[in-house]
Amino acid sequence: MTTAIFSHPDCKRHEMGHWHPESPARLQAIEDQLIASRIDCLLEYREAPEADVADIRRVHTQAAVDRIRNNVQSLLIAGGEYYPLDADTMLNRHSWNAALRAAGAAVAATDAVIDGEVDNAFCAIRPPGHHARPSEAMGFCLFGNVAIAAKHALEVRGLQRVAIIDFDVHHGNGTEEALMNDPRVLMVSFFQHPFYPYSAVLEDVPNMINLPVPAYTRGNEIRQLVEEKWLPALHAHRPEMIFISAGFDAHREDDLGQMGLVEADYAWMTQRIMEVAREHAQGRIVSCLEGGYNLSALGRSVVAHVKALASID
């Protein structure tokens, strides 16, 4: 298997304050753990390009794009460190470029996988994306990277069906809003509930299987949900490509969530996803970093995830 890592230094230049858990140190922790695990030399590293605004506009309104671009421009012209979009999502002078690189990584990885240049890809990117609504940024997220990549696969590359799998501890409300009722897309997830973003649990949307679970849910219970709920739906949908919103904040060491997963659970889920991809999607998977805020647990979990993607024992 050839697994590519897409990233860019611009993704480390976006930051929201020294106190903020969604920090540049997250990407450094991932890089350090890939090196420490001695698998970095087995991966193909690619520099993420900037996304075109047209890519972003397939998911987001022009007003949502302009709010980010214009406020970053104001910081560059008038000075100042940060512009608050909401209580916990801020812009600095590098945020526009970082957001373009994050979305651009997802789109470029999609092209590379579809074109057969690599078997699959992991995008080590920030800002994350799955809370970003079509009309506004929220929850640390500026643009919906995975939704943008899925739309690119469908509307530019001509795929007929894709699946999105979200295993972040938080509900991917932005992805859900962007893609609900699109029969070309199946989204499956679990998320701690009740918990941020406190969005409604939709039960009657045919292309969404988003499963709320209580705090302190552990890996064995999640594995059962995957077997009983996710996998039958994924096989029935027969996706031609799979996208993963790879959040690692359901890890038992992560204080931003209250769930009980460990590295072996992320490896197991990735292996099950790969089985679906091999059967229906020519193995095509693009995974994009979402949450994960305990730096040690994040790095170890990404290594487990990437080793499974790359079929490294």
Side-chain angles (χ1 to χ4, degrees):
M1 300 290 293
T2 302
T3 296
I5 304 290
F6 282 77
S7 194
H8 193 279
D10 283 351
C11 291
K12 292 182 181 177
R13 296 187 178 111
H14 162 72
E15 55 87 18
M16 297 181 282
H18 66 87
W19 56 271
H20 204 291
E22 206 295 282
S23 72
R26 300 176 65 230
L27 295 188
Q28 190 61 55
I30 290 169
E31 293 173 15
D32 291 347
Q33 284 286 355
L34 290 172
I35 293 169
S37 67
R38 300 183 179 179
I39 67 168
D40 60 309
C41 59
L42 303 176
L43 308 170
E44 181 175 321
Y45 288 81
R46 295 197 174 194
E47 188 171 271
E50 292 186 348
D52 292 333
V53 171
D55 297 323
I56 296 168
R57 286 284 287 112
R58 293 189 187 96
V59 170
H60 296 283
T61 65
Q62 188 64 51
V65 174
D66 289 344
R67 188 178 185 211
I68 294 169
R69 177 168 49 193
N70 294 347
N71 283 299
V72 168
Q73 188 67 23
S74 295
L75 288 174
L76 290 168
I77 293 171
E81 283 192 282
Y82 305 110
Y83 177 86
L85 294 170
D86 64 28
D88 54 17
T89 309
M90 285 166 282
L91 304 174
N92 76 347
R93 286 174 286 179
H94 305 285
S95 298
W96 173 250
N97 289 339
L100 291 182
R101 296 289 184 184
V107 171
T110 300
D111 284 335
V113 171
I114 290 174
D115 291 338
E117 297 173 11
V118 297
D119 293 302
N120 54 48
F122 176 73
C123 299
I125 52 176
R126 50 181 300 278
H130 74 154
H131 293 310
R133 302 178 63 201
S135 60
E136 63 180 347
M138 69 174 288
F140 310 170
C141 302
L142 300 186
F143 298 133
N145 306 313
V146 164
I148 289 166
K151 285 275 194 174
H152 178 78
L154 293 165
E155 298 181 5
V156 178
R157 299 308 305 264
L159 299 191
Q160 300 300 305
R161 296 175 308 281
V162 302
I164 294 174
I165 296 167
D166 188 331
F167 52 67
D168 193 277
V169 77
H170 303 96
H171 177 210
N173 62 299
T175 307
E176 181 180 81
E177 183 177 344
L179 299 171
M180 68 170 63
N181 294 315
D182 185 337
R184 302 172 298 174
V185 182
L186 173 69
M187 179 181 179
V188 302
S189 77
F190 63 81
F191 52 91
Q192 182 178 325
H193 181 78
F195 202 40
Y196 184 89
Y198 302 104
S199 44
V201 178
L202 303 179
E203 298 180 352
D204 57 353
V205 179
N207 69 320
M208 299 283 160
I209 300 177
N210 294 330
L211 306 172
V213 299
Y216 310 111
T217 300
R218 300 176 68 87
N220 62 324
E221 297 165 279
I222 293 300
R223 293 188 191 207
Q224 184 174 352
L225 286 176
V226 169
E227 294 278 8
E228 295 179 356
K229 302 293 186 180
W230 285 11
L231 294 181
L234 287 165
H235 283 296
H237 186 64
R238 297 180 294 113
E240 296 173 323
M241 190 164 188
I242 295 177
F243 297 90
I244 303 174
S245 273
F248 299 95
D249 41 5
H251 195 285
R252 67 184 180 189
E253 295 174 21
D254 199 305
D255 290 337
L256 262 69
Q258 296 171 297
M259 288 182 60
L261 274 62
V262 296
E263 296 92 307
D265 297 313
Y266 293 114
W268 182 89
M269 284 191 290
T270 307
Q271 290 160 358
R272 299 290 81 74
I273 294 166
M274 289 180 67
E275 291 169 1
V276 176
R278 282 193 292 265
E279 182 167 345
H280 302 291
Q282 303 175 44
R284 297 187 292 206
I285 297 173
V286 169
S287 177
C288 295
L289 180 66
E290 299 284 0
Y293 305 100
N294 178 296
L295 297 182
S296 176
L298 170 63
R300 299 190 325 261
S301 298
V302 170
V303 166
H305 178 56
V306 171
K307 285 178 72 174
L309 287 174
S311 297
I312 298 170
D313 295 329

